[in-house]
Amino acid sequence: MRLPVGRAATAASVILVAACSSTPAPQPTPAPAATPAGAAGRPQQGATPAGQPPAQRPAGGPPGAAAAAGEPAPKPYKDVITDKARSRAGLFKTHMVGSKLYFEIPRAQLDREMLLVTRGAAVPLDAGYAGQQIGPSRVVRWEKKGDRILVRAVSYVTTADSASPIYTAVRNSNLDVILGAFNVEAYGPDSAAVIEVTRLYTAPPNEIGPGNRFRGTPDAARSFIERVLSFPRNVEVEATLTFPPPPPGGTPTPATPGGLGNQAPVSGTASIVLHWSMILLPEKPMMPRLADDRIGLFTLTQLDYGRPEQRAERREYIVRWRLEKKDPHLALSEPVKPIEYYIDPATPDWLKPYVRKGIEDWQPAFEAAGFKRAIVAKDAPTKEQDPDWSPEDARYSVVRWLPSTIENAQGPNVHDPRTGEILESDIYMYHNIMNLQRSWYFTQVGHLDPRARQWPFPDSLMGRLVQFVVAHEVGHTLGYQHDQKGSATYPVDSVRSRTWVAKMGHTPSIMDYSRFNYTAQPEDGIAIEDLMPRIGPWDKYITRWGYTPIPDATSPDAEWPTLDRWSREQDSIPWYRFNLSDSRGADPGDQSEAVGDADPVKATGWGIRSIRQIVPLLIPATVQEGKSYDDLEQMYGRLIQQWARELGHVAIIVGGADAQEKYGGQKGVRYTPWPRARQKEAVAFLNANAFATPTFFLDPVILRRIEVEGALARINQAQVSVVGTLFNDRRLERLVEFAALPGARDAYPITEFLADVRGGVWGELKQGRVTFDGVRRELQRAHLNLVRTKLNPPPVQVPAGVPAGFAQQLQPARATSDVKAALRADLRALDAELAAALPRAGDAIARAHIQDARDQIRDMLEPEGRRGR
Ligand SMILES: [Zn+2]
């Protein structure tokens, strides 16, 4: 029994910008309570016999309906499965008779639950990449109804113990959708039903189709079964579908979770090869393990009506592989079935050893859970060794290498929605992940590793970087979320200690967005290898929590006391702690792309020292004889982004509260506001480092090689991102609330905050002779623009699919809050300073700037309509 209802990240998390979208594979969606085929308003399936150009692909109409329309009249087996049939035994016996595909379904496989996973085996240009999963995987069941076979999509959103009285009511309030209906064409030995399923694949229902980027109905003449392979526990089918050009003016469709690439309809005629894997779900479902918000594992949620609690209970279970000890008596035993990852044959040969290392780097973590060699890497068999092997086959987990300019990687998983058991995972490594690794490594530790100042990097270096990314993605496919809190749980000075990082790394987890140790300085003597993230103490802890067998417990609830005890280790070991998912960006220790953020001011100070050492290395590291300056321009831009990102870590301190997830019985509160002094220190740091013009970037030797102009805009964009974070609405509201609550002793009042920022951004106004450099003038104007949007916020466009909690963070400050009043008061103070400074303006542009600022302030404080009232 889990206390209270969790908020752990369900398997469908939000995609983050950085190079790892942790979006797990689209999860088995609960079959929408879509109305069965042919419901009102939808043309009856089959109403469109093949060959007639349909207006719109009959949505949801089950294939085979045409045939199913007539009364089934099974014929003698040999008249259907003729001697020309190409047959193959397996989970279903499959027969290709000409271009028609038949399934011969043994009675033992009827009503069994199977997972259907759709992937693009070959895709048109600009429509995603070969190997990517399309849409959520679905649980299906083949059911016999007279001389018909129905294939249904099964949902697990609501459950109840099948022995409980409410069970039937739960099932009836969540009817499984019919995806297809087929007449039995003949009966085989032991009266196995033989059905013709060609159109299930050559004109699939939306639920298992290529996604709504492909419009209309595939042209039957140019759509056909490519191959079918039946195996003992799965059936693999591949088909080519060709879609005629979409009608002119088709509207772009909303993003399909897990859909292929961007969502504009594919233009022109398009062919795609889809691969469907249908795997038998384990007969003996794995015993699920309850989830815990203190533990960073992906979860699935079921609403359980069969529970003793006097309400429908949201039960959250972790998503994990099924690891059972060969010898349960051994403290360290090999698993009955290890987690196996194949290395995609398409991977460049020189990288294969590093991909292998990235996979097996997790072995020590599983030893912490009592398993030896729990995860192993394998080379894919050659065609000679296994002609049937294919990376799309859902029995094989593969680290795919995709020919793409995307600078990213993904680690989705496919799991059993009944129990959370991970059945398979394909990791997507996009080719240009290497270019991103180059940028990160150079802009973060280029001053420490001379190898970073050449391009291409030595294989030993780029290989090691790819190994890191593979290990990170494998972490996701083991069920692990991003541990952004990790880097803030180490004492800040430890990340510059040679001995500490050699033992503990600079972050406790490879799942943290804490890439390379940019705080390190040459004098620290830190080993190059220790500048990189690796499997750390949090990774071992989370593996221990998720995978250690609890042999005496025969139910999820019986495991809970042990799990709760393991979670409470966090009270004494800070680096076992996990992000508090709904801290709404308030926790200065829950940051991405951060190192040493237990004290972002100190760490960013060191980071900027590193950046200043890297600027002079830009040209030697990127400019090559006879080559353009494109690399210089890209790396220069990315170094400035790194600067802005690190400064953003400091801005988060203002209105910040340390967050630690705790359950009843654990000492202390979940949120602890940061002291006023540290918030003031943060603003002072930003005034000196973010808002002071970073002249070290404005080197004409670089600028005049990459552009005729653009330096002001680039620096301004970086500074605006920092000011924007500082003036985030939730942050301003927290400043107000923290100061307003009874007993607030050490709060940082919003008025004081605004004055401190003003003092930095408009510091020149106190000078005897007032002049401003161009970067400063742009920054000051950006400050006014930002205040204007706070005083008159534009309507917020919340993109479709953004979770409510996240959408709420986008809302402007509540009209009733002190925020606007404080901003107006600060504008008046600024106006007074401007007025006082005008006579001391040192040049014409300074005078113009001061007057322009005053005009803007007047417009904000007394908009046209309100003047003179
Ligand atoms: Zn990730």
Side-chain angles (χ1 to χ4, degrees):
M1 175 219 30
R2 222 190 99 201
L3 326 159
V5 170
R7 275 179 300 278
T10 59
S13 2
V14 171
I15 292 185
L16 293 170
V17 268
C20 156
S21 98
S22 59
T23 352
Q27 300 320 311
T29 50
T35 51
R42 295 260 182 91
Q44 276 300 325
Q45 169 68 11
T48 12
Q52 198 185 82
Q56 179 54 269
R57 181 165 70 224
E71 276 313 304
K75 293 188 274 303
Y77 185 80
K78 65 176 177 34
D79 294 354
V80 177
I81 307 305
T82 64
D83 53 12
K84 292 200 179 43
R86 283 164 289 130
S87 307
R88 186 174 164 126
L91 177 67
F92 289 178
K93 196 166 185 184
T94 60
H95 309 277
M96 282 301 290
V97 181
S99 64
K100 286 189 176 166
L101 171 59
Y102 291 86
F103 280 171
E104 182 174 329
I105 307 175
R107 279 187 305 164
Q109 303 309 348
L110 290 173
D111 300 318
R112 297 289 307 276
E113 286 171 344
M114 305 174 188
L115 198 68
L116 190 62
V117 182
T118 309
R119 283 204 161 89
V123 298
L125 199 59
D126 268 349
Y129 297 93
Q132 281 184 315
Q133 183 170 340
I134 301 171
S137 42
R138 294 178 185 275
V139 176
V140 296
R141 196 181 57 240
W142 297 79
E143 193 179 292
K144 187 163 184 309
K145 210 175 177 55
D147 283 333
R148 278 203 177 90
I149 296 287
L150 309 179
V151 57
R152 286 183 184 265
V154 182
S155 147
Y156 274 88
V157 168
T158 55
T159 67
D161 184 333
S162 53
S164 66
I166 197 171
Y167 176 72
T168 316
V170 168
R171 299 300 319 141
N172 291 342
S173 65
N174 191 359
L175 183 65
D176 298 331
V177 170
I178 297 173
L179 291 180
F182 308 88
N183 287 351
V184 175
E185 306 288 341
Y187 284 98
D190 86 346
S191 56
V194 177
I195 55 173
E196 195 242 309
V197 292
T198 316
R199 280 179 59 74
L200 178 64
Y201 298 105
T202 58
N206 287 350
E207 288 81 358
I208 61 169
N212 44 31
R213 298 207 47 221
F214 294 81
R215 297 294 177 77
T217 299
D219 172 9
R222 292 176 286 169
S223 303
F224 37 81
I225 302 287
E226 287 283 357
R227 66 189 184 130
V228 56
L229 293 165
S230 190
F231 299 96
R233 295 187 57 76
N234 62 307
V235 177
E236 306 293 314
V237 178
E238 250 176 41
T240 293
L241 282 66
T242 301
F243 292 81
T251 48
T253 52
T256 322
L260 277 182
N262 66 33
Q263 302 310 318
V266 171
S267 57
T269 304
S271 293
I272 181 169
V273 178
L274 290 183
H275 183 112
W276 292 271
S277 285
M278 186 170 70
I279 357 176
L280 191 60
L281 284 174
E283 287 87 341
K284 188 171 156 290
M286 176 183 80
M287 183 174 92
R289 177 163 285 182
L290 285 168
D292 183 326
D293 296 331
R294 295 167 290 186
I295 302 293
L297 288 157
F298 290 119
T299 68
L300 63 83
T301 304
Q302 295 169 348
L303 208 51
D304 192 335
Y305 288 90
R307 301 280 312 166
E309 290 86 354
Q310 287 139 2
R311 65 177 174 210
E313 192 68 2
R314 274 181 77 242
R315 299 281 278 178
E316 244 167 317
Y317 300 111
I318 65 172
V319 168
R320 62 174 177 160
W321 291 82
R322 181 195 305 236
L323 281 185
E324 290 151 350
K325 285 187 172 178
K326 258 194 195 143
D327 181 345
H329 306 296
L330 285 179
L332 193 59
S333 157
E334 297 218 345
V336 172
K337 186 174 181 307
I339 301 164
E340 293 174 342
Y341 270 97
Y342 286 88
I343 298 161
D344 189 339
T347 310
D349 287 336
W350 64 277
L351 279 171
K352 287 182 174 142
Y354 296 99
V355 172
R356 171 180 293 277
K357 282 204 199 103
I359 294 165
E360 298 192 345
D361 275 351
W362 281 97
Q363 287 181 353
F366 282 101
E367 284 162 15
F371 292 96
K372 203 164 48 187
R373 288 185 53 73
I375 182 167
V376 292
K378 299 180 88 171
D379 289 321
T382 60
K383 275 269 168 270
E384 296 64 44
Q385 290 163 333
D386 180 351
D388 294 339
W389 193 89
S390 108
E392 278 82 39
D393 184 329
R395 285 174 306 157
Y396 308 121
S397 296
V398 184
V399 178
R400 304 299 306 265
W401 197 269
L402 303 175
S404 153
T405 56
I406 290 182
E407 298 190 355
N408 204 344
Q410 289 177 310
N413 72 69
V414 171
H415 62 260
D416 181 341
R418 305 169 304 172
T419 63
E421 178 182 351
I422 297 175
L423 302 167
E424 185 258 353
S425 158
D426 277 9
I427 288 170
Y428 309 144
M429 298 291 289
Y430 301 98
H431 195 74
N432 273 20
I433 184 72
M434 291 191 281
N435 192 51
L436 184 69
Q437 292 313 299
R438 178 205 184 182
S439 314
W440 278 351
Y441 196 72
F442 176 78
T443 58
Q444 294 173 21
V445 292
H447 62 305
L448 298 170
D449 185 344
R451 297 174 306 166
R453 300 165 213 161
Q454 54 187 285
W455 183 252
F457 282 178
D459 288 358
S460 62
L461 173 54
M462 185 52 80
R464 178 67 189 81
L465 301 178
V466 165
Q467 176 186 339
F468 144 53
V469 176
V470 169
H472 178 97
E473 299 308 331
V474 168
H476 284 312
T477 68
L478 299 174
Y480 308 158
Q481 297 185 51
H482 286 134
D483 174 34
Q484 309 294 25
K485 180 90 177 168
S487 50
T489 61
Y490 279 177
V492 68
D493 297 323
S494 66
V495 294
R496 287 194 52 196
S497 148
R498 187 172 49 76
T499 49
W500 175 285
V501 293
K503 186 163 171 282
M504 303 283 279
H506 62 264
T507 173
S509 171
I510 202 164
M511 301 315 291
D512 186 358
Y513 276 11
S514 184
R515 316 304 182 168
F516 308 108
N517 189 349
Y518 60 73
T519 67
Q521 300 304 318
E523 66 272 20
D524 301 341
I526 290 175
I528 295 291
E529 175 55 26
D530 295 335
L531 295 172
M532 313 210 185
R534 56 176 188 258
I535 308 278
W538 185 85
D539 304 311
K540 291 177 179 143
Y541 169 68
I542 201 102
T543 306
R544 178 160 60 84
W545 198 99
Y547 285 93
T548 304
I550 304 174
D552 322 331
T554 54
S555 75
D557 296 322
E559 288 194 332
W560 185 253
T562 306
L563 297 172
D564 183 43
R565 195 176 68 247
W566 290 343
S567 299
R568 288 168 189 250
E569 290 173 22
Q570 296 175 14
D571 289 341
S572 55
I573 304 172
W575 43 84
Y576 284 176
R577 293 173 193 161
F578 178 58
N579 337 324
L580 207 166
S581 57
D582 61 1
S583 62
R584 303 183 199 157
D587 183 359
D590 178 357
Q591 306 218 42
S592 75
E593 313 300 345
V595 175
D597 47 332
D599 183 343
V601 168
K602 230 179 185 180
T604 298
W606 295 331
I608 292 175
R609 262 181 65 189
S610 302
I611 288 171
R612 296 178 79 121
Q613 294 165 64
I614 293 168
V615 171
L617 303 173
L618 275 164
I619 288 180
T622 60
V623 176
Q624 296 181 338
E625 195 66 27
K627 291 258 178 79
S628 78
Y629 289 112
D630 291 356
D631 270 8
L632 173 62
E633 180 171 3
Q634 184 182 65
M635 202 63 91
Y636 175 71
R638 292 189 175 185
L639 190 58
I640 292 178
Q641 280 169 8
Q642 178 65 27
W643 175 72
R645 216 177 274 136
E646 291 178 27
L647 289 163
H649 298 150
V650 175
I652 302 262
I653 293 174
V654 175
D658 188 43
Q660 182 196 341
E661 184 58 283
K662 293 179 180 175
Y663 279 10
Q666 286 179 271
K667 281 205 198 62
V669 295
R670 295 164 74 228
Y671 297 104
T672 312
W674 276 43
R676 170 177 168 277
R678 294 193 70 182
Q679 298 183 56
K680 265 182 99 58
E681 176 202 28
V683 174
F685 179 86
L686 292 174
N687 286 339
N689 293 281
F691 305 144
T693 300
T695 49
F696 55 88
F697 278 132
L698 302 173
D699 177 353
V701 174
I702 296 172
L703 294 173
R704 291 300 154 262
R705 276 181 169 75
I706 60 176
E707 65 200 5
V708 63
E709 57 82 29
L712 293 189
R714 200 181 281 107
I715 299 292
N716 183 256
Q717 192 190 9
Q719 290 178 320
V720 166
S721 76
V722 178
V723 186
T725 304
L726 209 47
F727 280 65
N728 167 282
D729 295 295
R730 298 290 80 68
R731 191 173 321 290
L732 300 177
E733 283 187 330
R734 279 195 299 273
L735 284 174
V736 171
E737 173 155 328
F738 290 167
L741 293 182
R745 269 181 302 284
D746 195 19
Y748 184 34
I750 188 172
T751 46
E752 184 181 347
F753 158 68
L754 293 172
D756 288 346
V757 173
R758 175 164 38 87
V761 172
W762 295 87
E764 292 89 337
L765 298 176
K766 297 188 184 61
Q767 293 162 0
R769 180 172 173 278
V770 179
T771 57
F772 313 87
D773 72 43
V775 174
R776 292 282 292 177
R777 290 194 298 272
E778 295 227 7
L779 170 67
Q780 288 153 356
R781 213 159 278 125
H783 174 237
L784 292 175
N785 291 347
L786 190 69
V787 173
R788 183 181 298 108
T789 61
K790 299 291 170 192
L791 290 178
N792 313 303
V796 175
Q797 309 292 341
V798 178
V802 168
F806 198 70
Q808 203 271 333
Q809 286 195 45
L810 301 173
Q811 300 309 321
R814 286 169 297 102
T816 52
S817 88
D818 291 340
V819 171
K820 288 186 183 175
L823 288 168
R824 287 201 186 94
D826 195 67
L827 279 179
R828 290 193 189 91
L830 175 58
D831 188 54
E833 284 186 57
L834 288 162
L838 190 55
R840 289 178 279 116
D843 55 29
I845 192 66
R847 199 165 301 109
H849 180 53
I850 291 171
Q851 278 159 343
D852 170 60
R854 297 203 64 204
D855 295 346
Q856 292 196 44
I857 291 172
R858 190 198 54 232
D859 291 350
M860 280 189 260
L861 292 176
E862 295 164 31
E864 195 68 40
R866 281 188 21 197
R867 224 161 275 157
R869 261 197 289 143

